[in-house]
């Protein structure tokens, strides 16, 4: 094939789309892999798309700057009937995304402008926060997901719900707090044990490492942690370790039994 071998992600995406068709699902939520123009998921004509905060990742394929990566990521915006939900972004990324939306006349919903959120309380069992949106006014929500970044994700999810409602889909108001409270995300600030306290997280780039550090500082103010740290060869381990130094008393470097694991010894 002149395009080369199929990647694992391309095969997995093809199988998923086939399965969804066979199962006759009402909705399929597809998360991009690398993201953007050449991502396998971009063959789908989505009715709503969401762009979470863009940071430097997969730079060997998507570009070495936020602007270059944003150009690739924004390519999931493809037609005027599409709802577009935009999380808080670097100014360069935000400008590129909004320019693309104007070009395709896509309707946008922006977290921080159209949808706002405010923390109320948080502990190791979860957090409570308020979201204010055009379609639902003020909503007090409870979530088992920890970290301020999960409030952003919740606001993005609400933006998707409201975009679907504008397209004529019926989603009852009570489904929002119910869905938020039931949502689990293994490997994202997951409390594995309380005595001793053991938390598992899959942060894998400098931006997510920074979000993890802030979450630990909010949850465990003044505490120093012992970090067990392993990483893949294509990740910016130096920048990540620099973030983690802010909260650690000790870092234990380890390596998974995986061909992409980076030796840190």
């Amino acid at each position: 094939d002149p395009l080369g071998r199929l990647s694992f992600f391309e095969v997995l995406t093809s199988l998923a789309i086939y399965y969804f068709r066979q199962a006759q699902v009402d909705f399929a939520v597809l998360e991009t892999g690398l993201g953007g123009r050449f991502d396998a998921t971009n063959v789908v004509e989505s009715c709503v798309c969401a762009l979470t905060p863009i940071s430097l990742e997969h730079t060997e394929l998507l570009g070495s700057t936020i602007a270059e990566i944003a150009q690739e990521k924004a390519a999931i915006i493809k037609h005027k009937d599409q709802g577009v939900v935009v999380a808080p972004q670097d100014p360069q990324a935000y400008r590129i995304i909004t320019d693309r939306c104007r070009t395709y006349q896509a309707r946008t919903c922006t977290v921080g402008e159209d949808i706002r959120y405010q923390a109320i309380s948080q502990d190791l069992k979860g957090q409570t926060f308020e979201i204010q949106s055009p379609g639902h006014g003020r909503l007090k929500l409870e979530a088992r997901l920890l970290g301020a970044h999960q409030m952003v994700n919740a606001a993005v999810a609400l933006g998707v719900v409201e975009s679907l409602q504008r397209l004529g889909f019926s989603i009852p108001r009570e489904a929002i707090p119910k869905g938020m409270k039931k949502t689990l995300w293994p490997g994202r600030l997951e409390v594995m044990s309380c005595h001793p306290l053991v938390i598992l997280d899959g942060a894998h780039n400098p931006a997510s490492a920074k979000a993890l550090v802030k979450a630990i500082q909010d949850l465990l103010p003044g505490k120093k942690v012992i970090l067990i740290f392993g990483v893949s060869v294509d990740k910016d381990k130096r920048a990540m370790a620099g973030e983690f130094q802010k909260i650690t008393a000790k870092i234990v470097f380890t390596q998974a039994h995986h061909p992409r694991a980076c030796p840190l010894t």
Side-chain angles (χ1 to χ4, degrees), residues 55-105:
S55 60
L56 291 174
E57 190 177 17
H58 304 301
T59 52
E60 71 282 2
L61 295 171
L62 298 181
S64 59
T65 66
I66 291 289
E68 289 173 340
I69 295 171
Q71 289 280 6
E72 296 294 320
K73 299 273 192 180
I76 64 173
I77 302 164
K78 293 178 287 191
H79 57 86
K80 66 180 180 63
D81 297 320
Q82 192 176 32
V84 181
V85 184
V86 186
Q89 302 286 349
D90 177 280
Q92 294 180 75
Y94 184 71
R95 184 172 62 253
I96 288 165
I97 292 167
T98 52
D99 284 348
R100 176 100 180 179
C101 287
R102 277 193 292 270
T103 299
Y104 286 86
Q105 299 179 316

Side-chain angles (χ1 to χ4, degrees), residues 14-28:
S14 301
L15 288 171
I17 292 170
Y18 176 75
Y19 174 77
F20 296 151
R21 181 180 176 84
Q22 293 298 104
Q24 298 182 332
V25 299
D26 296 316
F27 283 94

Side-chain angles (χ1 to χ4, degrees), residues 162-175:
E162 294 195 354
S163 295
L164 289 170
Q165 288 173 326
R166 281 195 295 270
L167 291 170
F169 295 101
S170 177
I171 302 170
R173 182 183 176 91
E174 61 269 19

Side-chain angles (χ1 to χ4, degrees), residues 227-231 237 241 250-255 262-265:
L227 174 71
I228 300 174
F229 180 51
V231 69
K237 57 185 180 293
K250 180 191 291 186
I251 299 180
V252 179
F253 295 104
T254 188
Q255 180 180 353
C262 178
L264 294 171
T265 54

Side-chain angles (χ1 to χ4, degrees), residues 141-164:
L141 300 173
E142 297 177 21
R144 286 186 277 182
L145 304 179
L146 300 173
H149 54 289
Q150 296 294 2
M151 287 190 289
V152 176
N153 288 335
V156 169
L158 182 57
V160 171
V161 166
E162 294 195 354
S163 295
L164 289 170

